[in-house]
């Protein structure tokens, strides 16, 4: 079985463009393109920063920008995002300072490397595989109990569908009929493991049948196809129709992460062939074709993104090394563990753990410390 | 004095759930067969009828899902109380509990909380065999971010569960199966307390017996027998293993000069080692008049044969014997 791969943007030659998805104006198309460029610019700059030793190991997403900005454009501000590491900068499209995301990769947590998930309705970057999927379902279920029109969307890769967490989250979501969109970016590689060795089905989308939910397969290099499928899934979810599985079929054009070298396990000429489909230039050509943007516009959008990210790098590097006390600040929400044991007085009277001075407020970007909004 | 009456440990837990659900709409229950069936041990009986299926949710047999979904709901301010049908099944959900629930507050930089409770029937004594009878506290005690509560009696169970539900952290609440039908005086109305504090349940001068959960009752019985032999034992009910109330334990051993730790789970890697180390690292070391002793489960899975099952976990006579040996120096 090979499910049809839905697309909107053709190739400008033999493959014609389909209609612009309903509800998207030219202004929307330009806004979406800006987001793609911002994500691309962030990613390229982050890889460079890692190579220079200015941030730690980084999980790049080059080529998958459309699977992020596309579905997000379909989301309402109330909806919650659950990114994996491959969508690490998606919060930037929700107002998280890009310097905060860079600080996260630098290991500068505490006051700077985290955003307030409730302020941005964006969960933190999930690095273990599939463990955030039950959380997305739990959140949507909480919204259902509270009768709030809130949906959740969680991103994961093809490899995540082999995990028990994925199965249990899919099953729960369908049994409880919650508004969760399971957005699978099938880039056909889980580090060195190809799709054929990950699962025996031909597609990911067909797995939806086992959970009695719709399974949709779209071109993962087509931001508008990703948008359209997500838009329909969210509408269905909000109307009580339950969850949807979307498979965004694409190819991992880059390495798994900055510690990975794909030449060790795959033929890079294959990646080169897929590269012609990558979403940023594809969207640019499409907008030129439609006459919505011209070359000057493309130029200025690119320059604007570069400026934003350069500023973010500057802000990230202005953040001071955090003090050791952050090691213990958030182990328990109810205070440091010693306050339950012998009390802070005893902590101060011993050299274990190290006594440290409280960190003074540091200059830096907003980390989303604002009061969390009520509700989900 | 508030009105009190004698009810069972299971009823006390149900009262705490009922009170919490009545006073806080964000509290809901989820687990396998907790609705119509009332849970494998009947703890949630009647709550489905009272609060409806949205708040007393029967789930698929899906421990990762149960804990993971509780985490997701807790992140947005709900207060889920999830049940593992047997504490042994926590093993299925270990990642969601130890890597997710316990760490998210830290990994969110303090900007989110996971106020959830995981209730689980634990311990041996019901002939339920090796995969349904373990005491799992030491599996979890090494995980910062979790709180671990093991009440020994009905009154504590109610106050501790109320405190656990109100706590902003993930709390594992381990209920001993043999205690469900034990009765005790329990106050009417909601009350909360005891989280993070141990209690001296029987005062004595000669030896401190430190224990928790069902072992408290065996230690109290042993204290009675020891009295007849002229030994005045003090019994400490730890109640909360994490955070551990070190000062009550250290204070007691400083007074008696002798420590006996009793637990049901196997000796090696058991929480008794932590208590022994806590005392020997403390000022109480200078007061010790005899080596510390531990009485614990044998190094084998819990057998299904009832007589053998009793034989692998500490009994009153084992505690008495160990205390006498300590006093004999």
């Amino acid at each position: 079985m090979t499910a049809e791969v839905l697309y909107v943007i053709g190739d400008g030659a033999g493959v014609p463009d389909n209609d612009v998805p309903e509800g998207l104006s030219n202004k929307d198309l330009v806004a979406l393109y800006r987001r793609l460029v911002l994500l691309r610019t962030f990613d390229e700059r982050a890889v460079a920063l890692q190579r220079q030793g200015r941030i730690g190991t980084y999980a790049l997403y080059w080529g998958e920008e459309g699977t992020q900005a596309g579905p997000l454009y379909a989301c309402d501000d109330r909806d919650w995002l659950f990114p994996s590491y491959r969508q690490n900068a998606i919060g930037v499209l929700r107002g998280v300072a890009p310097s905060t995301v860079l600080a996260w990769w630098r290991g500068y947590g505490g006051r700077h490397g985290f955003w307030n998930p409730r302020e941005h309705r964006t969960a933190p970057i999930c690095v273990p595989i599939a463990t955030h999927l039950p959380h997305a379902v739990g959140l949507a279920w909480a919204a259902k109990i509270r009768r709030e029109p809130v949906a959740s969307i969680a991103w994961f890769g093809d490899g995540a569908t082999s995990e028990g967490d994925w199965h249990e989250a899919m099953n729960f979501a369908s049994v409880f009929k919650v508004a969760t969109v399971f957005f699978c970016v099938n880039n056909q590689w889980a580090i060195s493991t190809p799709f054929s060795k990950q699962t025996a089905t031909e597609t990911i989308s067909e797995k939806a049948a086992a959970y009695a939910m719709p399974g949709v397969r779209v071109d993962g290099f087509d931001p508008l196809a990703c948008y359209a499928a997500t838009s329909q899934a969210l509408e269905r979810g909000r109307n009580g129709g339950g969850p949807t599985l979307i498979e965004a079929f694409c190819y991992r054009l880059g390495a798994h992460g900055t510690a990975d070298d794909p030449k060790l396990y795959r033929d890079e000429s294959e990646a080169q062939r897929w590269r012609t489909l990558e979403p940023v230039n594809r969207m640019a050509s499409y907008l030129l074709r439609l006459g919505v943007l011209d070359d000057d516009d493309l130029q200025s959008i690119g320059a604007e993104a570069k400026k934003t990210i350069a500023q973010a790098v500057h802000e990230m590097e202005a953040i001071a090394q955090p003090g050791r006390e952050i090691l213990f600040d958030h182990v328990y929400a109810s205070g440091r563990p010693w306050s339950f044991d012998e009390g802070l007085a005893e902590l101060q009277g011993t050299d274990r753990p190290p006594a440290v001075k409280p960190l003074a407020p540091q200059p830096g970007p907003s980390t989303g410390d604002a009061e969390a909004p009520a509700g989900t | 004095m508030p009105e009190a009456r004698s009810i069972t440990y299971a009823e006390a837990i149900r009262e705490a759930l009922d009170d919490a659900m009545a006073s806080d709409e964000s509290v809901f229950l989820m687990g396998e067969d907790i609705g119509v069936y009332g849970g494998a041990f009947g703890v949630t009986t009647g709550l489905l009828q009272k609060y409806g299926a949205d708040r007393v949710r029967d789930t698929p047999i899906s421990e990762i899902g149960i804990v993971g979904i509780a985490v997701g709901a807790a992140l947005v301010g709900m207060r889920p109380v999830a049940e593992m049908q047997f504490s042994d099944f926590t093993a299925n959900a270990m990642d969601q509990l130890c890597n997710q629930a316990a760490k998210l507050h830290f990994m969110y930089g303090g900007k989110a909380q996971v106020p959830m409770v995981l209730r689980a029937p634990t311990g041996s004594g019901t002939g339920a065999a090796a995969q349904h009878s373990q005491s799992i506290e030491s599996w979890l005690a090494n995980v910062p971010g979790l709180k671990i509560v093991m009440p020994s009696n009905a009154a504590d169970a109610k106050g501790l569960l109320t405190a656990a539900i109100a706590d902003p952290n993930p709390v594992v609440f381990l209920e001993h199966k043999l205690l469900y039908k034990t009765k005790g005086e329990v106050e009417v109305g909601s009350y909360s307390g005891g989280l993070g504090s141990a209690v001296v349940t029987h005062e004595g001068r000669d030896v401190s017996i430190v224990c928790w959960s069902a072992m408290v009752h065996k230690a109290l019985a042993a204290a009675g027998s020891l009295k007849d032999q002229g030994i005045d034992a003090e019994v400490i009910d730890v109640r909360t293993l994490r955070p551990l109330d070190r000062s009550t334990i250290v204070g007691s051993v400083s007074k008696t000069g002798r420590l006996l730790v009793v637990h049901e789970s196997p000796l090696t890697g058991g929480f008794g080692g932590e208590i022994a180390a806590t005392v020997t690292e403390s000022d109480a070391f200078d007061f010790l008049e005899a080596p510390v002793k531990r009485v614990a489960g044998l190094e084998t899975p819990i057998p299904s044969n009832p007589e053998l099952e009793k034989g692998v976990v500490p009994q009153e006579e084992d505690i008495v014997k160990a205390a006498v040996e300590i006093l004999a120096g």
Side-chain angles (χ1 to χ4, degrees):
Chain A
M1 144 178 199
T2 308
E4 186 191 359
V5 179
L6 303 174
Y7 74 96
V8 175
I9 305 175
D11 64 0
V15 183
D17 299 328
N18 284 322
D19 288 345
V20 175
E22 212 177 313
L24 288 185
S25 65
N26 284 350
K27 212 174 140 194
D28 291 317
L29 295 178
V30 174
L32 181 50
Y33 177 70
R34 272 182 210 281
R35 292 168 174 218
L36 293 170
V37 172
L38 186 64
L39 287 176
R40 169 69 55 90
T41 309
F42 179 99
D43 189 64
E44 289 180 341
R45 193 64 209 271
V47 170
L49 290 168
Q50 190 279 333
R51 297 294 185 232
Q52 295 162 347
R54 293 155 81 183
I55 63 171
T57 303
Y58 174 77
L60 53 156
Y61 53 76
W62 205 98
E64 296 184 14
E65 297 86 351
T67 62
Q68 302 175 25
L72 180 56
Y73 210 83
C75 290
D76 198 280
D77 284 348
R78 286 173 302 202
D79 298 333
W80 270 77
L81 319 181
F82 286 82
S84 83
Y85 52 83
R86 193 76 68 205
Q87 296 77 34
N88 73 81
I90 200 162
V92 168
L93 304 183
R94 271 281 178 89
V96 174
S99 57
T100 299
V101 183
L102 289 171
W104 189 91
W105 287 108
R106 190 173 162 88
Y108 278 31
R111 287 159 182 79
H112 296 289
F114 299 95
W115 54 88
N116 186 332
R118 292 175 81 164
E119 185 187 350
H120 300 285
R121 302 212 167 197
T122 303
I125 303 157
C126 178
V127 182
I129 304 302
T131 57
H132 58 317
L133 305 178
H135 306 169
V137 175
L139 185 136
W141 185 35
K144 191 174 177 178
I145 292 174
R146 291 165 162 171
R147 309 209 188 303
E148 292 171 349
V150 173
S152 61
I153 174 169
W155 283 263
F156 52 95
D158 41 306
T161 64
S162 303
E163 290 277 13
D165 291 61
W166 180 80
H167 165 83
E168 299 197 22
M170 292 277 289
N171 187 51
F172 255 93
S174 199
V175 171
F176 292 0
K177 279 210 171 321
V178 303
T180 298
V181 178
F182 292 89
F183 198 96
C184 178
V185 182
N186 179 4
N187 66 20
Q188 305 186 58
W189 288 93
I191 308 186
S192 67
T193 305
F195 185 71
S196 60
K197 288 186 180 162
Q198 191 65 245
T199 188
T201 55
E202 199 164 327
T203 71
I204 295 292
S205 57
E206 70 196 77
K207 292 174 189 282
Y211 305 91
M213 70 171 83
V216 187
R217 201 167 195 231
V218 299
D219 181 344
F221 286 135
D222 182 341
L224 297 181
C226 293
Y227 164 84
T230 308
S231 185
Q232 285 168 15
L234 286 168
E235 192 185 340
R236 183 173 168 275
R238 285 202 198 90
N239 292 327
T244 301
L245 173 64
I246 298 172
E247 175 187 6
F249 185 62
C250 57
Y251 191 90
R252 201 188 74 212
L253 296 174
H256 163 68
T258 51
D260 174 42
D261 178 7
K263 286 197 288 291
L264 296 173
Y265 52 80
R266 73 180 190 189
D267 177 2
E268 283 301 282
S269 67
E270 188 178 66
Q272 286 307 322
R273 283 198 301 279
W274 283 90
R275 208 177 168 92
T276 57
L277 297 171
E278 65 85 10
V280 179
N281 283 317
R282 186 167 166 189
M283 184 80 177
S285 308
Y286 175 66
L287 294 177
L288 291 173
R289 219 157 45 233
L290 291 182
V292 172
L293 292 179
D294 61 25
D295 284 330
D296 287 348
D297 297 327
L298 299 183
Q299 197 91 38
S300 82
I301 289 170
E304 183 193 335
K306 277 203 174 77
K307 201 173 146 197
T308 303
I309 301 304
Q311 175 65 20
V313 174
H314 176 73
E315 288 172 3
M316 181 263 294
E317 297 202 313
I319 297 170
Q321 165 71 24
R324 282 183 294 180
E325 84 288 347
I326 72 157
L327 289 172
F328 305 109
D329 276 351
H330 303 303
V331 180
Y332 290 96
S334 39
R336 293 189 188 188
W338 304 281
S339 60
F340 301 106
D341 293 341
E342 293 83 8
L344 220 57
E346 180 151 328
L347 166 67
Q348 282 153 0
T350 172
D351 58 0
R352 188 183 70 89
V356 285
K357 279 193 294 187
L359 191 72
Q362 298 293 325
S366 162
T367 52
D369 275 314
E371 196 62 32
T376 48
Chain B
M1 279 286 284
E3 191 193 338
R5 71 279 185 250
S6 180
I7 60 171
T8 67
Y9 182 89
E11 287 165 342
I13 292 167
R14 189 183 310 138
E15 279 194 0
L17 294 171
D18 194 348
D19 290 344
M21 292 182 84
S23 65
D24 184 350
E25 283 200 350
S26 64
V27 178
F28 69 92
L29 315 183
M30 62 192 302
E32 296 156 11
D33 305 305
I34 65 164
V36 179
Y37 193 69
F41 295 88
V43 173
T44 52
T45 302
L47 296 176
L48 170 70
Q49 291 76 1
K50 189 163 178 186
Y51 295 102
D54 258 1
R55 294 183 71 196
V56 182
R57 173 69 73 165
D58 277 323
T59 66
I61 303 175
S62 186
E63 286 80 12
I64 296 173
I66 292 168
V67 178
I69 278 148
V71 170
L75 284 172
V76 285
M78 299 296 280
R79 290 188 177 271
V81 182
E83 179 178 303
M84 295 281 100
Q85 198 158 63
F86 287 81
S87 72
D88 312 67
F89 307 166
T90 306
N92 295 58
M94 209 68 167
D95 180 78
Q96 283 295 342
L97 184 63
C98 299
N99 286 333
Q100 306 298 320
K103 295 190 173 59
L104 289 184
H105 181 63
F106 184 82
M107 295 196 75
Y108 279 49
K111 295 192 172 86
Q113 300 181 353
V114 188
M116 62 172 282
V117 175
L118 187 66
R119 291 181 41 246
T122 200
S124 67
T126 62
Q131 295 151 330
H132 293 72
S133 300
Q134 293 162 95
S135 296
I136 66 159
E137 65 269 25
S138 59
W139 298 2
L140 306 173
N142 201 228
V143 182
L146 292 181
K147 293 188 177 183
I148 302 166
V149 183
M150 297 187 80
S152 71
N153 61 75
D156 276 358
K158 184 172 169 182
L160 283 164
L161 183 54
T162 304
I165 294 170
D167 197 87
N169 300 289
V171 180
V172 181
F173 194 86
L174 297 171
E175 304 160 5
H176 202 290
K177 299 176 203 108
L178 290 185
L179 298 178
Y180 278 134
K181 290 180 180 163
T182 60
K183 284 193 161 186
E185 288 291 305
V186 175
E187 282 175 23
V188 174
S190 182
Y191 62 91
S192 163
L195 196 55
S197 75
V199 66
V200 177
T201 50
H202 182 269
E203 285 195 30
R205 288 165 301 149
D206 296 333
V207 57
S208 303
I209 305 178
V210 177
C211 50
W212 50 91
S213 192
M215 285 299 138
V216 172
H217 300 274
K218 291 189 173 157
L220 286 170
S225 306
L226 288 164
K227 191 100 186 157
D228 299 338
Q229 301 181 40
I231 295 171
D232 189 13
E234 177 148 297
V235 177
I236 305 219
D237 181 351
V238 171
R239 301 199 292 192
T240 307
L241 275 67
R242 180 179 269 278
L244 179 65
D245 176 1
R246 297 194 175 110
S247 60
T248 298
I249 296 165
V250 168
S252 173
V253 178
S254 300
K255 179 178 77 176
T256 64
R258 297 176 186 88
L259 172 63
L260 171 60
V261 194
V262 183
H263 59 71
E264 186 171 322
S265 64
L267 183 82
T268 304
F271 200 71
E274 183 60 34
I275 306 244
T278 296
V279 165
T280 53
E281 284 174 347
S282 78
D283 294 342
F285 181 76
D286 294 333
F287 296 94
L288 283 176
E289 292 178 27
V292 171
K293 244 190 191 324
R294 290 177 289 162
V295 174
L298 300 185
E299 304 288 338
T300 182
I302 302 287
S304 58
N305 175 283
E307 283 311 307
L308 293 177
E309 183 183 23
K310 265 188 210 158
V312 301
V313 299
Q315 302 298 328
E316 179 190 335
E317 50 273 24
D318 302 317
I319 302 169
V320 170
K321 183 166 171 274
V324 168
E325 284 169 9
I326 293 179
L327 265 296

